[in-house]
């Protein structure tokens, strides 16, 4: 009789251990809901914690309020993140030459093409010197204030894929760039 109880206790403890392990290794709702990965992207190891925070905030903003009915979370792209990082570093450089709007557009196309192929539209939006937690709220606020566009590109239904790249935190803050595309095939 004692052997039956010992076996039961061992099986029960094993079940608890396995259930506990599964609970700690499974993704949380926020990861699967707010950070879907673009096809060909395996994980987010190419991003800093700050960059992941920005991507989460963008998707939470898209899913909030009136926009929630029309917008889906943007998929995360490795290639667009590399293009965004390159642009952030370019903006941070003192060697950044003054370019015309057409030259800037062509540079955007060149950067994105280095890391994959897009279909439809491609755009970028930059945040200068805000702390990471304020990047998305400031972009939302600044976009409304300028009157040039009612909302930032990341709130546009045209775009389904995004990447982000930031310079290291400095004084007073980093430069972060969000690059978006209608569709994007990652370079292999």
């Amino acid at each position: 009789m004692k052997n039956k109880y010992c076996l039961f206790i061992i099986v029960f403890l094993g079940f608890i251990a396995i259930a506990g392990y599964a609970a700690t290794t499974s993704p949380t709702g926020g990861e699967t809901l707010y950070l879907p990965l673009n096809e060909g992207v395996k994980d987010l190891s190419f991003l800093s914690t700050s960059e992941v925070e920005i991507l989460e905030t963008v998707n939470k903003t898209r899913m909030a309020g009136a926009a929630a009915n029309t917008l889906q979370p943007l998929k995360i792209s490795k290639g667009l993140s590399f293009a965004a990082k390159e642009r952030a570093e370019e903006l941070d450089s003192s060697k950044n030459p003054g370019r015309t709007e057409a030259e800037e557009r062509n540079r955007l196309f060149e950067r994105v093409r280095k890391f994959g192929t897009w279909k439809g539209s491609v755009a970028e939006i930059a945040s200068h010197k805000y702390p990471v937690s304020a990047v998305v709220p400031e972009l939302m606020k600044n976009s409304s204030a300028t009157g040039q566009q009612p909302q930032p590109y990341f709130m546009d239904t045209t775009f389904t894929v995004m990447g982000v790249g930031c310079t290291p935190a400095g004084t007073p803050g980093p430069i972060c760039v969000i690059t978006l595309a209608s569709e994007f095939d990652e370079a292999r």
Side-chain angles (χ1 to χ4, degrees):
M1 195 71 141
K2 288 183 182 181
N3 288 340
K4 283 185 181 180
Y5 289 117
C6 287
L7 181 60
F8 175 75
I9 291 172
I10 290 170
V11 170
F12 182 71
L13 290 175
F15 175 75
I16 290 173
I18 291 170
Y21 175 76
T24 59
T25 59
S26 64
T28 63
E31 290 171 348
T32 56
L33 176 62
Y34 295 120
L35 295 177
L37 303 178
N38 195 31
E39 187 174 327
V41 177
K42 306 276 188 250
D43 58 42
L44 299 176
S45 61
F46 56 93
L47 296 170
S48 70
T49 305
S50 299
E51 291 165 338
V52 170
E53 182 181 334
I54 291 169
L55 295 172
E56 287 176 332
T57 306
V58 165
N59 275 340
K60 286 177 183 175
T61 302
R62 281 177 64 95
M63 302 305 294
N69 295 331
T70 58
L71 298 174
Q72 297 296 315
L74 293 166
K75 295 177 280 185
I76 311 308
S77 166
K78 187 174 187 176
L80 291 178
S81 292
F82 288 157
K85 178 76 167 186
E86 190 174 295
R87 177 61 173 159
E89 290 170 351
E90 184 179 280
L91 290 171
D92 196 36
S93 170
S94 59
K95 299 175 190 172
N96 187 15
R99 293 189 181 109
T100 66
E101 190 174 315
E103 291 170 329
E104 287 292 350
R105 184 180 57 248
N106 289 336
R107 279 288 300 132
L108 168 62
F109 296 160
E110 288 171 19
R111 273 192 306 278
V112 173
R113 241 183 256 123
K114 282 184 359 185
F115 303 106
T117 308
W118 85 89
K119 294 175 189 160
S121 299
V122 64
E124 66 186 7
I125 185 168
S127 165
H128 296 271
K129 309 296 184 185
Y130 293 114
V132 170
S133 61
V135 167
V136 175
E138 287 296 329
L139 289 172
M140 292 290 289
K141 182 173 77 175
N142 291 344
S143 179
S144 296
T146 63
Q148 295 175 352
Q149 179 181 332
Q151 296 200 359
Y153 292 123
F154 56 77
M155 294 299 288
D156 190 328
T157 57
T158 302
F159 300 106
T160 64
V161 187
M162 73 173 158
V164 66
C166 297
T167 59
T171 304
I175 295 175
C176 294
V177 174
I178 300 169
T179 303
L180 304 114
S182 299
E183 293 179 43
F184 188 75
D185 294 325
E186 307 286 336
R188 305 278 180 225

